[in-house]
Amino acid sequence: QPGVLYPFSLLYLFLPLDLAFNWTIIFHFFLAAVFTYMLMRELGASTQGALATAFAFLFSGYLISVHNVLNTLISVSWYPLVMWCGCRMVRTGLLRWAIASGVSLGCMFLGGGLEIVLLTFASLLLLCLYPKVLPIKDEEGRPNLRRRLISLSTVLVIFLGLSMVQILPFLEL
């Protein structure tokens, strides 16, 4: 089963299956809304605009339709957080945001939605190549393309390091 090594799967050890399943769904809907709010604020949206976007994503047809496909729901709920960290990484060039993005991407992968992970990494690559795609606040010390690609490589190394626990047994098969 995908998600066996996902950190929040510990809930299944302490609760009955049906209760743990329902709480996992509720928790990830909450995470999706909070992370979307954070991303929108990073992109310069007002508080009301960020809340409206978070609620729009929370009650979107896509998120509602994947509520019973747990690996997709878990993975897609991390997308706004990965992009929030990625925006900060591109804007500041600080290593901590590359690490945070890699850890978030690792959690997304351990949730089991590989297609979401691949599309998220493609989004990060696009963001690093063309930071003007998003209305990221301009700063004088914005890193150049080389520095942004090094940061993206750091994200990839962190992500691969964390997800090897699930990738290596798969490769053995």
Side-chain angles (χ1 to χ4, degrees), residues 92-115:
T92 66
L94 295 175
L95 179 64
R96 68 176 167 211
W97 296 117
I99 292 170
S101 192
V103 169
S104 302
L105 201 60
C107 286
M108 180 188 277
F109 176 77
L110 292 175
L114 181 59
E115 69 284 355

Side-chain angles (χ1 to χ4, degrees), residues 6-49:
Y6 180 65
F8 293 112
S9 290
L10 289 174
L11 197 59
Y12 289 91
L13 293 175
F14 303 108
L15 294 174
L17 178 66
D18 58 339
L19 194 58
F21 187 81
N22 289 334
W23 277 108
T24 299
I25 292 170
I26 292 168
F27 178 67
H28 284 88
F29 268 81
F30 174 75
L31 284 182
V34 169
F35 294 158
T36 301
Y37 175 83
M38 291 167 46
L39 176 62
M40 290 298 103
R41 291 296 290 163
E42 176 67 24
L43 295 177
S46 65
T47 303
Q48 295 85 359

Side-chain angles (χ1 to χ4, degrees), residues 48-112:
Q48 295 85 359
L51 277 173
T53 306
F55 281 118
F57 185 53
L58 178 66
F59 297 112
S60 68
Y62 176 72
L63 214 57
I64 299 293
S65 70
V66 298
H67 82 279
N68 61 341
V69 185
L70 206 53
N71 58 336
T72 302
L73 173 65
I74 288 172
S75 294
V76 82
S77 66
W78 288 93
Y79 179 82
L81 181 65
V82 173
M83 293 309 294
W84 178 72
C85 295
C87 287
R88 287 183 168 225
M89 175 186 73
V90 166
R91 184 170 49 87
T92 66
L94 295 175
L95 179 64
R96 68 176 167 211
W97 296 117
I99 292 170
S101 192
V103 169
S104 302
L105 201 60
C107 286
M108 180 188 277
F109 176 77
L110 292 175

